[in-house]
Amino acid sequence: MKTSMSELSANRASEWRLNPPFNARHLLIALAALLVLAVTGARMEVPRMLYETVEAVGYTVGLAEQSPVATGIKRVAESVWPLRISEETETARIENLDRNNLPWLARIEIRESREPRMNTATLQIEETVERKEVLVKPIGYLTHVLAKMLETLEMALWGTLLAVLLSIPLAYYAAANYAPNRLAYNASRSTISLFRAIPELVSALFLVLAFGFGPIAGFLALGIHGAGFLGKFYAEDIENADRNPQEALQAIGAGKVKTLWYGVLPQVLPQYIAYTLYILDRNVRMATVIGIVGAGGIGLELKGRFDMFNFGHVGTILLIIFLTVFLLDRFSARLRSRIL
Amino acid sequence: MLKFDNVTKRFPDGTEAIRKISLHVPRGQFCVVLGPSGAGKSTLLRMLNGLTRPTDGEVILDGVKLTDKTLPRLRRKVATVHQQFNLTPRLSVAFNVLSGALPQVSYWRAGIGWFPAALRAKACRLLDEVGLTPEHLPRRVSELSGGQQQRVGIARAFMMDPAVLLVDEPVASLDPRISRGILELLRRQSQQHGATVLCSLHQPELAREFGDRIVAVSRGRLVFDGAPARLTDAVCEDLYHGALNHHDPDRAEQLPAFAPALETVSA
């Protein structure tokens, strides 16, 4: 019987078939995907995007006569440059100005400007020459933006802290192997989904109504959204952690919390730090725009300047945001490499 | 000291890992459970620390029946040394050893890692006993060699002065030269601390050398029980020859069943 078995398998080997890794079903799926891309692509005006981009490139190298995209970008670039970093205030508007003892680096200049003004009596537009005495602070606007950026960073920091604090209990109950029962598990999972489903801008909008303008609404909104993200990832790491060390502690009766602390946390700590740093990074970026709805930070300044077409100011703000995000990225990379 | 009374373990998929095993290990004995991979050795051991619960029969530890109610109390008397060491990889050697005393430490002390001085001193003493040096204390266990990791595992097992030490294939993932050292250490430590040992192995030579008593398990049945001297090469041959066929259902049918032969030996 032993020989017959091996003969049998030898016969079978010659009849083996190694099929290609795709079949008709895969072809069908590919066709369906193409169809979806074709329909959605048309709705997204992808062809126009491609045409106008090519046109803009052609215009830049001198092949095309005109390009609305290229002129648009050019106009923005021209208005952003030079960046505005100084601040001018009419001396008449400053109370108790001590002319002999001006603030650091500040100087007083006279500005002469011709401005079209509406004559309220005749309701006509008239050109008037105005002379203004202004206090010029050469880096006044820059320091203002930096102060706003600091507030933004503080919001991001507290938003991250809140996210971590909220997500720890959520993650414990949302990890299938630690949740005490099905109810706690489902409640925690749905809370996490809900938190993640509400975008920061939307929750900030409502929180501004509750807490008023200012950073409270901002960092609460960031914290809630971050908790939804961190809770999910923390929980999934707990579930995927190596079971062996946990079993060792369970076998001596260490209890769930201590097992989590000594058997799981050391294993998942690098990922936890990575997630938390990502949330911090994300919060800094979100905190810059969340101010648009009045929740503190640099966003309000950005929106105000944008609405007033002060693109020089907008340029400064964007540069500071970019530099902050860049520096934070370097910082978190160094922090990670030191801890891991 | 520890007793299996007609214990059966059936897994949900229907396989019987343990079939009606009765075994009594007296206090202070170093009892080796011998058998090929998949014979049910680990399952037998895991029923003593409650990681697996028997389907049928009773497990009695120090005169107390192991139930849901008594499990937390009994677990403190039982320590386990694992095949894969089961240490927390990124945690330091010191904390891995200290974690062996976690049930005795309050939550807040465990939380900030401030173990009582007595436990810290004990951890140092145990690490010294297993042959590690103070330089090892702050190092992550994942940086140590396999043999050193198992030494840390042994130190951890003795943190709560166990009455029973379960040793699950302590040397299965170590090379033969180191294996002997680890088993010598286990014997010495358990004698010194007065622990009763149930140690599973799959190498008959090591079982003969280190056991006070050898029980052999094959396909979930107890097929041999006796002094090391009685474990002849013929018995081992049967045990392992049979085991090879255990994984090959086509061939197992043709060979004479080895289990009855072994049962006569144990009788």
Side-chain angles (χ1 to χ4, degrees), chain A residues 286-305:
Chain A
M286 282 313 295
T288 56
V289 290
I290 211 168
I292 289 173
V293 296
I298 208 168
L300 196 62
E301 180 74 20
L302 178 65
K303 183 172 159 49
R305 292 300 180 180

Side-chain angles (χ1 to χ4, degrees), chain B residues 34-264:
Chain B
L34 191 65
S37 327
K41 304 187 297 293
S42 292
T43 311
L44 192 68
L45 261 57
R46 287 164 68 93
M47 284 194 287
L48 282 166
N49 57 23
L51 289 179
T52 302
R53 306 302 294 276
T55 321
D56 251 326
E58 283 176 3
V59 178
I60 296 155
L61 256 163
D62 213 2
V64 182
K65 199 181 142 191
L66 199 147
T67 60
D68 283 334
K69 223 174 163 184
T70 56
L71 181 63
R73 193 155 48 86
L74 289 178
R75 267 182 169 164
R76 294 189 177 209
K77 295 186 187 177
V78 182
T80 314
V81 172
H82 304 262
Q83 176 178 355
Q84 300 298 334
F85 323 133
N86 292 15
L87 301 165
T88 308
R90 298 176 53 90
L91 203 58
S92 69
V93 168
F95 275 119
N96 263 294
V97 175
L98 286 168
S99 72
L102 274 177
Q104 295 176 349
V105 182
S106 65
Y107 278 101
W108 70 269
R109 268 181 182 274
I112 59 171
W114 187 32
F115 286 75
L119 286 179
R120 278 180 281 152
K122 193 176 190 177
C124 293
R125 201 180 65 233
L126 284 167
L127 278 169
D128 184 35
E129 283 173 10
V130 300
L132 294 178
T133 58
E135 290 87 74
H136 289 115
L137 284 175
R139 288 179 60 188
R140 287 177 179 167
V141 286
S142 37
E143 294 168 8
L144 303 184
S145 69
Q148 285 173 324
Q149 289 193 29
Q150 191 57 294
R151 283 168 192 273
V152 175
I154 293 168
R156 177 177 69 179
F158 282 100
M159 274 305 280
M160 289 208 300
D161 301 312
V164 173
L165 184 67
L166 304 175
V167 190
D168 187 10
E169 299 262 9
V171 294
S173 41
L174 301 176
D175 73 53
R177 195 169 44 84
I178 295 168
S179 303
R180 210 158 284 269
I182 291 288
L183 281 166
E184 270 163 21
L185 174 69
L186 272 169
R187 242 204 108 97
R188 198 181 68 222
Q189 285 287 307
S190 51
Q191 253 161 19
Q192 195 179 324
H193 294 263
T196 309
V197 183
L198 196 60
C199 172
S200 70
L201 285 176
H202 66 248
Q203 305 96 321
E205 330 79 71
L206 291 175
R208 269 195 216 115
E209 192 176 339
F210 292 100
D212 292 331
R213 171 196 184 184
I214 295 174
V215 295
V217 180
S218 177
R219 293 202 244 170
R221 285 211 183 86
L222 205 62
V223 293
F224 173 88
D225 183 356
R230 290 183 57 201
L231 185 79
T232 58
D233 288 342
V235 175
C236 294
E237 181 68 17
D238 257 1
L239 185 65
Y240 284 90
H241 202 157
L244 288 175
N245 296 309
H246 179 55
H247 295 290
D248 188 350
D250 291 336
R251 289 186 62 198
E253 298 304 318
Q254 312 154 31
L255 289 163
F258 60 93
L262 283 165
E263 267 159 13
T264 51

